[in-house]
Amino acid sequence: MHMFWVLVLIFYNGHFISTATGANSTRPDVVNIGAILAFNSSIGKVAKVAIEAAVDDVNSDPGVLNGTKLKITMQDTKLSSGFLGIVEALRFMENDTVAIIGPQHSVMAHVISHIANELQVPLLSFAATDPTLNSLQFPFFVRTTQSDLFQMSAVAEIVGYYEWRDVIAIYIDDDHGRNGVAALGDKLAEKRCKISYKAPMSPKVDRNDISDTLFKVAMMESRIIILHIYSAWGLEVVDMARKNGMMGSGYVWIATDWLSTLLDTESSLPPAAMDSIQGILTLRMHTPDSLPKRKFLSRWSNLTASKTNGSLFRLNAYGLYAYDTVWLLARALDTFLNQKGNITFSNDSSLTEFQGGNLRFDSMSIFNGGKVLLSNILHVNMNGLSGPMNFTSDGELNGPAYEVINVIGTGVRSIGYWSNSSGLSLVPPEKFNAPEVNKSSNQQLYGVIWPGQITQKPRGWVFSSNGKQLRVGVPNRISYREFVSHAEGSDNYVGYCIDVFNAAKEQLPYAIPYKFIPFGDGHSNPVTADLLHMITTGEFDAVVGDITITTSRTKMVDFTQPYIESGLVVVAPVWKLNSSAWAFLRPFTPMMWCVTGISFIVVGVVVWILERRTNDDFRGPPRKQCVTILWFSFSTLFFSYREKIVSTLGRLVLIIWLFVVLILNSSYTASLTSILTVEQLSSPVKGIESLTTSNDPIGFPRGSFAENYLTNELNIHRNRLVPLGSPNDYERALKDGPSKGGVAAIVDERAYMELFLSTRCEFGIVGQEFTKMGWGFAFPRDSPLAIDMSTAILRLSETGDLQKLHDKWLTRSACSSEGAKQDVDRLQLTSFWGLFLLCGSACLLSLIFYLIKMVRQYTRHSSNTSQSTRIESFLTFVKEKEENVIKVEKEGKRGYSMRRQIEMVSNGRVHEEEPRNSTWNVTVATNYEA
């Protein structure tokens, strides 16, 4: 640090005056502050007028500093960002300066912040937007404007909103440019976007440097260009870009706030400059509308006329922040003076060893109240022309917001706003939290007129025109060459995958120069994972072939839309299932036959129970009743039963059973027809389920993802898996079988197996396809070409061209089989358990109701029966015919009436008025007793 002071003071022909005036109990009459500006820049000339106006307003308001006046000393850096400009800016330190407003440039701010740290003088910059200036390295730096961190957040939000993925950044290679672009890269990464090319330019840029930079940019694929540069060279860059054809259709230019500042400041630009910036998007720091702001705007023309000798220019956002910075400092000074009451300086003890000499190092002084004043600045909470002014714990202004504007014609048009709270919105951030504003419906921007006078959103990229061909890797297959194969006698490749790629390429609105590069040793099929890894290392720009899309592979590369479905299937030896004398039993499984037969018997028994007391058809000797049960139940199969059902419960059971029989008949007939008319195949392997439960060896293609799937997902031990290399190996292993060192079945993708089975009728696909996957073309992560190729594949599918290519290369022969059908066609019990459950429930409920009815009748019939004979009596009662029971009940009631009258006669309770009835009653009683 001491060496730095030596270098500074070599060029500095003055010294810092140290004062220690002692404590003063009264407020000072004057407080010295400094300002570092570039008077001839768009920001500097506006800020100079705004700062002078703010100092006048503060000094004329006795309620701010209570009689203390601000005295400001301004130094002009003359747009110099080098060492000489910094030395020139130090001249204001000849006075007892308590704070510095500025500098305007981030490069100067980095260096002067070291001086501010040493002298403990707060540095308030309204224009240095480098995000790294807020680091702990510079505690005395206070940014009173918006950081580029938020501006780059807004740019990244715009890029993400339009679904672009790659951008190019053009910037000046200094602290301001590098750190701003670094912040942009971080914010783009949060949106899954990136800076595909950085184009730095020297701080001493000239037109040749600009031309060289733009030539390199034009050779890149991305057409989204972020221009983060100073206004002094910004128009030169876009003018040369227009001359090079880079401001036409397809390009997108997003300029940081240097362009909006220039447009807001200058009353008019030359026509050539306006033509160069047509369609550009730029950002402007958003300052809410307010009455003080409108009043200041109305004063602006008078202020510029009086302070600039008639030079007129307009007010920009940096001018508002410069004005507010003076007021912010004045309020902090007022608090400071109320706390301490004086302003003192002391010598820097670390420089005492440099006493003597013309440079007078020992005269440099430290502001004793610097830390307190800094704390007061960071705790100010005020409303200024730019809006609320208060700081976060990180030293940034609260509520950063930008306006997104589109340059159109001779002016600009606002297309929306950005803020931390609302993102991209059509309403200003200060109105966003209003109840009538729907937050979800305002994440959008108005329409844009892009360069080239187009309104449709540009795609954002083109294929590189730098002469580089797309390096497309293709597998050098030795089997299934219908998919990919080398054309003999040429450098071309043919096959189904190649034709699909070429057809999709023709659908693109731009040309793709490419060349196929084979991958593999020519002796075995290459491992797909190794082929895809070549993309991640940059050796291939794409991979075309029979590449299955899996979860693990999507972590390495991006795939297009699948152009063919190809899940895993099981292939095993099959043989034709010939018809036999017992073919009629095949429609139902053994379990289905058993349950159906038992159901016939159960229904017959239930109907017999419900009908035997009321229906003579179900009565008789035991042998006859058994024959009746069997005959009735099985005759329902043909709806030819002759017994009449008279009970309500019996009819209920019968109608439900007839419905079940109808469904069973229809299903049996359909299945038997299929079995007798369609060729049936049989195999000891029934599908993937039977393979997982057995211990037989399983074949799979060497290098395929099928190995990991079988072990990780289906928990099949690796010892059972046998890698095979070619269709001939498949055939040999299947013919040998497990007993001769072969395999019981092979697990591979359907697309391969259909070709394998087209000439091998002794094998077939058994069971169902147990994965749903597809093949796609592979590209590097976030490649825009993958998106365009996916769209092209979908278009081929919609027009039917994709199916035509499939039929051309992969047409099945008559030998191909969908699989062994015997298990598929046989009807399982699981398909009918609902019907059997319904019928069984009806039988059970009917029996319960019947039992309840019997118990009630028996209770009325045998009220005097003893407990010991009740069960035997109940069984006898159930066997009786119901009409006999009813007759006995009627006779019992008549006997009861006679017995009652006998009792009345014997007790002398017959009335004298009934002489005729008394004789009849005695006779009846006598007869009853007899």
Side-chain angles (χ1 to χ4, degrees):
M1 181 60 72
H2 292 168
M3 292 301 297
F4 171 77
W5 296 120
V6 172
L7 289 174
V8 171
L9 295 177
I10 287 176
F11 294 91
Y12 179 56
N13 295 324
H15 63 272
F16 292 97
I17 300 176
S18 170
T19 63
T21 59
N24 188 351
S25 59
T26 61
R27 280 176 171 257
D29 294 333
V30 176
V31 176
N32 294 323
I33 60 175
I36 304 175
L37 308 172
F39 293 167
N40 57 343
S41 66
S42 298
I43 296 176
K45 62 184 180 183
V46 173
K48 181 176 182 296
V49 176
I51 291 173
E52 291 173 347
V55 171
D56 293 342
D57 292 345
V58 169
N59 290 337
S60 62
D61 189 346
V64 180
L65 287 172
N66 297 321
T68 300
K69 304 294 183 182
L70 293 179
K71 180 181 179 182
I72 188 165
T73 301
M74 293 190 179
Q75 295 293 337
D76 183 11
T77 62
K78 299 178 181 178
L79 286 179
S80 173
S81 59
F83 183 71
L84 294 178
I86 297 171
V87 172
E88 185 179 358
L90 291 173
R91 290 182 179 177
F92 69 86
M93 293 300 295
E94 292 178 349
N95 298 321
D96 298 337
T97 303
V98 299
I100 303 170
I101 297 176
Q104 180 180 326
H105 297 289
S106 297
V107 175
M108 289 185 185
H110 274 276
V111 180
I112 298 178
S113 289
H114 290 286
I115 302 174
N117 292 346
E118 185 70 20
L119 302 182
Q120 298 186 11
V121 176
L123 194 65
L124 291 80
S125 178
F126 59 89
T129 56
D130 179 359
T132 63
L133 287 169
N134 277 95
S135 65
L136 298 177
Q137 183 183 8
F138 307 118
F140 280 86
F141 177 84
V142 180
R143 193 196 323 274
T144 58
T145 188
Q146 304 297 344
S147 168
D148 275 344
L149 180 66
F150 304 111
Q151 181 172 208
M152 296 310 176
S153 294
V155 172
E157 195 82 28
I158 294 172
V159 173
Y161 173 77
Y162 288 110
E163 300 178 344
W164 296 315
R165 288 291 173 263
D166 294 345
V167 304
I168 295 174
I170 301 177
Y171 59 98
I172 296 296
D173 193 13
D174 59 8
D175 293 329
H176 170 71
R178 283 193 305 271
N179 295 329
V181 170
L184 174 63
D186 293 340
K187 294 301 179 180
L188 286 173
E190 296 175 4
K191 304 292 182 183
R192 289 199 65 187
C193 307
K194 69 178 186 297
I195 301 175
S196 60
Y197 181 71
K198 294 181 179 180
M201 293 189 294
S202 170
K204 298 183 181 298
V205 64
D206 56 25
R207 293 185 65 86
N208 290 331
D209 292 338
I210 295 174
S211 179
D212 293 341
T213 300
L214 291 179
F215 177 77
K216 296 176 183 177
V217 169
M219 303 302 291
M220 298 296 110
E221 294 182 1
S222 177
R223 288 295 181 260
I224 314 299
I225 301 173
I226 313 299
L227 189 57
H228 185 52
I229 200 171
Y230 299 113
S231 58
W233 285 102
L235 291 181
E236 290 285 346
V237 173
V238 294
D239 179 64
M240 190 162 294
R242 179 179 63 85
K243 293 178 179 178
N244 292 339
M246 299 176 63
M247 296 299 297
S249 175
Y251 279 89
V252 174
W253 287 77
I254 303 177
T256 51
D257 60 0
W258 66 266
L259 180 56
S260 63
T261 301
L262 185 65
L263 293 171
D264 291 342
T265 305
E266 305 300 332
S267 56
S268 63
L269 292 178
M274 288 303 301
D275 290 342
S276 299
I277 61 176
Q278 292 300 302
I280 291 181
L281 294 183
T282 185
L283 298 174
R284 175 197 289 151
M285 288 185 291
H286 174 65
T287 55
D289 186 32
S290 63
L291 182 60
K293 178 181 175 181
R294 290 195 296 269
K295 289 182 177 180
F296 188 73
L297 286 172
S298 65
R299 295 171 50 197
W300 184 253
S301 59
N302 294 330
L303 289 173
T304 55
S306 61
K307 297 180 181 294
T308 60
N309 298 323
S311 177
L312 299 179
F313 44 84
R314 295 183 299 187
L315 179 65
N316 57 43
Y318 284 102
L320 297 176
Y321 280 103
Y323 181 91
D324 288 343
T325 301
V326 176
W327 277 89
L328 179 73
L329 177 59
R331 294 185 184 279
L333 280 170
D334 182 59
T335 304
F336 173 82
L337 294 175
N338 289 333
Q339 293 171 341
K340 295 184 63 70
N342 53 31
I343 296 175
T344 61
F345 293 83
S346 60
N347 291 332
D348 188 350
S349 59
S350 63
L351 298 178
T352 54
E353 59 182 282
F354 296 104
Q355 290 181 359
N358 294 329
L359 297 179
R360 299 185 62 183
F361 293 103
D362 58 330
S363 66
M364 302 180 69
S365 58
I366 297 175
F367 177 31
N368 295 327
K371 293 183 178 178
V372 177
L373 179 59
L374 175 65
S375 176
N376 291 337
I377 291 172
L378 295 176
H379 286 86
V380 169
N381 190 353
M382 57 172 273
N383 286 321
L385 302 183
S386 60
M389 295 281 289
N390 53 77
F391 296 92
T392 66
S393 59
D394 297 330
E396 299 284 5
L397 281 180
N398 264 317
Y402 285 86
E403 185 177 2
V404 185
I405 57 179
N406 182 205
V407 181
I408 303 172
T410 58
V412 297
R413 172 175 172 263
S414 175
I415 63 170
Y417 301 87
W418 176 91
S419 72
N420 265 347
S421 59
S422 64
L424 295 176
S425 172
L426 299 179
V427 296
E430 64 272 13
K431 298 181 180 179
F432 194 81
N433 293 325
E436 65 273 8
V437 176
N438 187 338
K439 189 170 184 177
S440 62
S441 65
N442 284 274
Q443 295 298 305
Q444 55 183 335
L445 296 173
Y446 288 114
V448 178
I449 297 180
W450 305 99
Q453 300 296 313
I454 62 172
T455 57
Q456 183 180 3
K457 182 196 77 171
R459 184 174 65 248
W461 77 283
V462 295
F463 193 76
S464 176
S465 59
N466 57 7
K468 175 185 174 183
Q469 289 183 317
L470 193 72
R471 296 163 299 175
V472 181
V474 293
N476 187 11
R477 297 196 60 89
I478 62 170
S479 61
Y480 302 120
R481 298 172 62 84
E482 292 86 351
F483 297 109
V484 177
S485 62
H486 180 259
E488 297 294 337
S490 68
D491 294 333
N492 296 329
Y493 282 80
V494 295
Y496 171 69
C497 301
I498 301 298
D499 280 5
V500 172
F501 176 77
N502 289 330
K505 179 183 66 67
E506 295 299 324
Q507 297 286 330
L508 300 179
Y510 47 87
I512 300 180
Y514 67 93
K515 62 177 179 180
F516 289 126
I517 302 175
F519 178 80
D521 56 11
H523 302 289
S524 61
N525 292 325
V527 178
T528 302
D530 296 340
L531 179 58
L532 295 178
H533 182 69
M534 302 289 281
I535 294 181
T536 62
T537 60
E539 297 185 48
F540 288 154
D541 301 313
V543 169
V544 171
D546 47 336
I547 311 299
T548 304
I549 304 172
T550 64
T551 303
S552 60
R553 293 173 182 176
T554 56
K555 298 177 182 178
M556 300 169 53
V557 296
D558 279 353
F559 285 96
T560 62
Q561 171 79 16
Y563 58 87
I564 185 175
E565 293 184 359
S566 183
L568 291 176
V569 294
V570 177
V571 172
V574 297
W575 57 86
K576 186 176 180 181
L577 195 63
N578 296 321
S579 181
S580 67
W582 301 100
F584 67 91
L585 294 177
R586 274 196 238 152
F588 287 167
T589 61
M591 179 60 70
M592 183 67 182
W593 279 117
C594 291
V595 173
T596 303
I598 293 172
S599 298
F600 273 101
I601 297 174
V602 169
V603 169
V605 172
V606 170
V607 172
W608 173 77
I609 293 174
L610 297 176
E611 291 290 321
R612 68 177 303 276
R613 299 187 74 240
T614 58
N615 194 337
D616 291 334
D617 291 340
F618 290 89
R619 297 182 65 83
R623 180 178 298 179
K624 177 184 177 184
Q625 294 183 48
C626 291
V627 172
T628 301
I629 291 173
L630 295 175
W631 163 256
F632 173 80
S633 59
F634 286 100
S635 63
T636 57
L637 182 62
F638 310 101
F639 303 96
S640 60
Y641 57 91
R642 61 190 179 186
E643 291 79 9
K644 183 178 180 181
I645 306 301
V646 297
S647 67
T648 302
L649 293 177
R651 291 174 178 175
L652 174 63
V653 171
L654 181 61
I655 195 170
I656 294 176
W657 173 244
L658 291 178
F659 175 72
V660 173
V661 170
L662 176 64
I663 300 300
L664 293 177
N665 264 332
S666 302
S667 303
Y668 177 86
T669 303
S671 180
L672 183 61
T673 302
S674 175
I675 290 174
L676 297 178
T677 58
V678 179
E679 181 183 67
Q680 301 296 306
L681 301 177
S682 179
S683 173
V685 178
K686 309 304 180 184
I688 190 63
E689 294 82 4
S690 64
L691 279 181
T692 56
T693 56
S694 69
N695 293 318
D696 294 332
I698 304 171
F700 71 93
R702 181 179 287 107
S704 170
F705 73 95
E707 179 181 11
N708 289 332
Y709 184 88
L710 293 173
T711 55
N712 298 335
E713 301 297 331
L714 301 181
N715 298 320
I716 297 176
H717 201 279
R718 288 186 182 272
N719 292 338
R720 294 179 54 197
L721 302 181
V722 179
L724 301 172
S726 67
N728 292 332
D729 294 339
Y730 288 6
E731 183 177 6
R732 189 182 309 109
L734 288 173
K735 286 182 176 180
D736 291 343
S739 61
K740 297 181 180 180
V743 297
I746 291 175
V747 174
D748 201 350
E749 296 182 67
R750 176 177 286 273
Y752 298 132
M753 292 297 94
E754 288 177 349
L755 289 176
F756 173 76
L757 297 173
S758 62
T759 57
R760 298 170 176 87
C761 298
E762 64 272 27
F763 309 116
I765 297 174
V766 295
Q768 300 293 324
E769 184 175 286
F770 57 94
T771 63
K772 294 295 182 182
M773 297 179 178
W775 292 355
F777 304 133
F779 293 90
R781 293 296 301 271
D782 299 323
S783 171
L785 187 57
I787 300 174
D788 288 354
M789 287 293 286
S790 294
T791 304
I793 290 172
L794 288 174
R795 192 175 295 115
L796 290 175
S797 178
E798 292 170 356
T799 58
D801 292 337
L802 195 60
Q803 184 62 41
K804 293 178 182 177
L805 293 175
H806 181 277
D807 295 340
K808 172 185 175 182
W809 289 96
L810 309 176
T811 301
R812 301 178 187 176
S813 71
C815 196
S816 293
S817 171
E818 289 294 330
K821 299 289 185 78
Q822 75 278 9
D823 285 335
V824 177
D825 291 334
R826 301 192 77 177
L827 300 176
Q828 306 284 339
L829 178 62
T830 54
S831 302
F832 300 94
W833 71 267
L835 286 173
F836 288 118
L837 178 63
L838 176 64
C839 183
S841 300
C843 292
L844 181 62
L845 290 176
S846 298
L847 288 176
I848 292 174
F849 288 140
Y850 180 76
L851 180 62
I852 293 173
K853 177 183 176 182
M854 291 297 98
V855 171
R856 290 183 60 188
Q857 288 184 356
Y858 176 74
T859 302
R860 292 196 304 268
H861 177 74
S862 57
S863 57
N864 297 325
T865 305
S866 64
Q867 184 69 26
S868 60
T869 59
R870 185 176 296 274
I871 296 177
E872 181 179 355
S873 177
F874 176 74
L875 295 176
T876 303
F877 174 77
V878 171
K879 295 179 182 179
E880 290 293 330
K881 194 172 182 180
E882 186 168 351
E883 61 181 15
N884 295 335
V885 174
I886 295 175
K887 182 178 180 181
V888 170
E889 288 181 352
K890 291 181 179 180
E891 292 178 352
K893 291 181 180 179
R894 187 180 302 112
Y896 172 79
S897 177
M898 294 178 182
R899 189 167 58 252
R900 178 61 177 167
Q901 293 194 27
I902 292 172
E903 291 176 356
M904 292 175 63
V905 170
S906 63
N907 293 332
R909 296 175 59 185
V910 178
H911 296 283
E912 295 178 357
E913 292 82 4
E914 301 174 347
R916 290 176 296 176
N917 293 338
S918 61
T919 306
W920 183 83
N921 287 337
V922 173
T923 303
V924 171
T926 302
N927 294 334
Y928 180 79
E929 292 176 355

